[in-house]
Amino acid sequence: MVNDNIKNDEITAEEKAIDDWLPITAERSATWYHSAFHNVTAMVGAAVLSLPYALSEVGWGPGIAILVLSWIITLYTLWQMVEMHEIIPGKRLDRYHELGQVAFGEKLGLWIVVPQQLTVEVSTCIVYMVTGGKSLKKFQESAVPNSKPIRTTYFILIFGSCHFILSLLPNLNSISGVSLAAAFMSLSYSMIAWIASLKKGIYQENVDYSYRDKTTSGSVLNFFSAMGDVAFAFAGHNVVLEIQATIPSTPEQPSKKPMWKGVKVAYFIVALSYFPVALVGYFIFGNSVDGNILITLEKPNWLIALANLLVVFHVIGGYQIYAMSVFDMIETYLVKQKKFRPSTPLRIAVRFTYVVITMFIGMAIPFFGGLLGFFGGLALSPTSYFLPCIIWLVLVKPRRFSISWLMNWTFVVLGVVLMMLAATGGLYTLIASYKTYKFFS
């Protein structure tokens, strides 16, 4: 009996040592403002610059409705996830898949959550690789207009190289400075986008607000694709539990209080970023707006160069937020399942391999951003819009036909519809544009 107790103590000590090494659970000293800027960095991506284009594909009424509904629904589902972090007394669900396992069972929970979460996080990292490289190129072209053209792949290589250094930061708390800078940058380039648009709008004449595609079928499919683009803009749920895991928690002061305070601040900043860019950008340029509003603005060169540089700094932080969750998954699997010894060489091998893979895919497929609508519908819609509602119905079990029950089922139905329509529209966009795609271009 004594030997069994010693053995159990040893197992507990070993598990604690592993948790203290893994990037999500290594340090629990974050505060509400860490929650705020981590969530801003995860949520406000460069996709905000494509929102005017998305509105041009759906029109004023539907566009505003989709943006407002997306903001409300995802704020509600994010609140649910914050509340469910400690739904089991004495236990913290530090990762999205752990919440799924509690709701659906050990194996089924993994199969439901992990493929979707990995799809979102890995695809976001690849998109950020491409976005970072393209923004670097636009910065160079705006800052030095008569310079010799350089291929985008080289800029992606330059952008990706910095992540070999940053990926050595051990855990989520250690990238707080990077995340704070990225959050500030995202708000800054969003403000540049809509203020510069407003100033340029004084000289705009005959703005056309009709649908971009003049055929009924094309307009409908573009509408579906735009829904996927909007879904991609609200993708922060995939790392929200991981962010909350870094906040200390006691019975008197549970982690959900500072976490929710940070989320409210973050969503206020999201609104300040998304709505002015989308509405002002579409109002000024109509259906002539480009997929990236900074391209439409063109001048003044120094301002466009600055905005693109801010985008670069932001996606550096965004990449690290999403990559840290992937690092945690891989390192957890290797250490707990494959019994690798937690060590610095293991961490370097895992993280350098991941950076190389995402960088290579970004260089090989620089049109990866064209997949946004498809990925937005297929994976981002479930994890942000309706999977938290399903888990809430399973774990909290609200009374049938109560307000909570009706609200959650409504959001589930809307989320499923969004998933199917956005994936369809994204696939149409890929097929319609495939002739313009070039590998290693």
Side-chain angles (χ1 to χ4, degrees):
M1 189 73 165
V2 173
N3 289 337
D4 288 343
N5 288 337
I6 293 173
K7 187 176 179 181
N8 288 336
D9 289 342
E10 288 174 350
I11 292 172
T12 303
E14 182 183 355
E15 289 177 347
K16 186 178 185 306
I18 290 173
D19 284 341
D20 289 344
W21 181 78
L22 292 171
I24 299 302
T25 52
E27 191 178 340
R28 300 188 192 268
S29 59
T31 62
W32 70 266
Y33 51 82
H34 290 86
S35 161
F37 60 71
H38 280 325
N39 276 290
V40 170
T41 300
M43 185 75 72
V44 185
V48 64
L49 301 175
S50 69
L51 289 178
Y53 184 86
L55 251 67
S56 74
E57 293 187 312
V58 299
W60 278 116
I64 294 173
I66 292 170
L67 274 177
V68 172
L69 277 175
S70 293
W71 191 88
I72 292 172
I73 292 172
T74 55
L75 177 60
Y76 173 72
T77 54
L78 210 159
W79 169 79
Q80 289 180 311
M81 296 186 72
V82 171
E83 288 289 317
M84 291 188 289
H85 178 74
E86 295 176 277
I87 196 168
I88 300 174
K91 181 178 174 62
R92 299 187 68 173
L93 304 175
D94 295 320
R95 299 162 180 89
Y96 204 150
H97 68 80
E98 292 177 5
L99 181 61
Q101 286 175 296
V102 170
F104 307 117
E106 288 291 320
K107 289 187 177 180
L108 183 59
L110 279 177
W111 281 105
I112 289 175
V113 176
V114 171
Q116 295 185 76
Q117 190 178 13
L118 275 177
T119 299
V120 171
E121 291 171 349
V122 175
S123 63
T124 300
C125 285
I126 297 170
V127 168
Y128 280 177
M129 276 286 183
V130 176
T131 303
K134 288 185 174 180
S135 296
L136 262 180
K137 182 178 182 178
K138 290 170 190 169
F139 167 74
Q140 183 253 347
E141 291 172 346
S142 298
V144 191
N146 299 319
S147 60
K148 183 180 178 180
I150 302 174
R151 291 176 64 173
T152 304
T153 48
Y154 296 130
F155 284 103
I156 295 174
L157 182 63
I158 294 168
F159 175 82
S161 298
C162 73
H163 293 291
F164 287 109
I165 305 300
L166 291 175
S167 66
L168 296 177
L169 294 170
N171 54 59
L172 197 54
N173 265 4
S174 66
I175 64 171
S176 294
V178 177
S179 181
L180 174 60
F184 178 75
M185 300 301 172
S186 64
L187 182 60
S188 299
Y189 69 70
S190 298
M191 290 181 67
I192 288 174
W194 71 264
I195 292 174
S197 296
L198 203 58
K199 186 175 180 181
K200 189 171 182 177
I202 300 172
Y203 309 103
Q204 295 293 112
E205 296 181 358
N206 302 319
V207 180
D208 185 3
Y209 298 111
S210 63
Y211 290 120
R212 303 181 72 92
D213 198 303
K214 302 308 177 185
T215 65
T216 303
S217 60
S219 297
V220 170
L221 291 168
N222 282 340
F223 185 97
F224 295 166
S225 180
M227 293 173 73
D229 291 340
V230 172
F232 187 82
F234 292 91
H237 295 58
N238 290 275
V239 291
V240 68
L241 291 180
E242 286 79 356
I243 293 170
Q244 190 169 350
T246 64
I247 298 176
S249 185
T250 64
E252 298 77 24
Q253 182 69 17
S255 63
K256 66 181 181 181
K257 290 184 178 180
M259 181 67 184
W260 179 237
K261 182 178 179 180
V263 167
K264 288 188 289 185
V265 172
Y267 255 71
F268 177 72
I269 295 173
V270 167
L272 283 181
S273 301
Y274 283 18
F275 289 98
V277 172
L279 300 178
V280 172
Y282 181 47
F283 175 75
I284 298 300
F285 300 110
N287 62 18
S288 65
V289 70
D290 291 286
N292 181 337
I293 193 171
L294 295 181
I295 296 174
T296 312
L297 288 169
E298 294 179 347
K299 294 181 180 181
N301 283 343
W302 68 269
L303 188 63
I304 305 306
L306 174 62
N308 277 293
L309 192 60
L310 294 175
V311 172
V312 171
F313 286 128
H314 171 251
V315 293
I316 286 174
Y319 181 98
Q320 287 299 313
I321 288 286
Y322 283 96
M324 195 62 75
S325 179
V326 180
F327 296 157
D328 181 79
M329 283 191 196
I330 299 171
E331 290 168 12
T332 299
Y333 174 75
L334 291 176
V335 172
K336 291 189 175 182
Q337 300 296 322
K338 295 301 180 181
K339 305 302 179 184
F340 280 79
R341 185 175 65 85
S343 62
T344 300
L346 176 64
R347 178 160 280 168
I348 291 173
V350 167
R351 299 184 179 195
F352 277 23
T353 301
Y354 181 78
V355 172
V356 167
I357 290 172
T358 53
M359 183 168 62
F360 177 78
I361 295 174
M363 292 168 65
I365 316 175
F367 53 84
F368 197 86
L371 300 173
L372 281 185
F374 183 69
F375 279 123
L378 202 60
L380 288 162
S381 299
T383 53
S384 293
Y385 285 78
F386 67 87
L387 186 57
C389 293
I390 294 174
I391 295 175
W392 183 270
L393 290 166
V394 171
L395 295 181
V396 179
K397 296 180 174 62
R399 184 171 51 84
R400 289 188 69 182
F401 303 111
S402 64
I403 294 176
S404 175
W405 188 88
L406 290 170
M407 184 182 297
N408 280 282
W409 275 112
T410 300
F411 291 165
V412 168
V413 172
L414 289 175
V416 171
V417 171
L418 172 65
M419 177 184 70
M420 293 188 295
L421 297 185
T424 302
L427 188 61
Y428 161 76
T429 301
L430 285 176
I431 295 171
S433 307
Y434 81 97
K435 290 183 179 179
T436 65
Y437 295 154
K438 295 180 181 179
F439 293 93
F440 293 101
S441 61

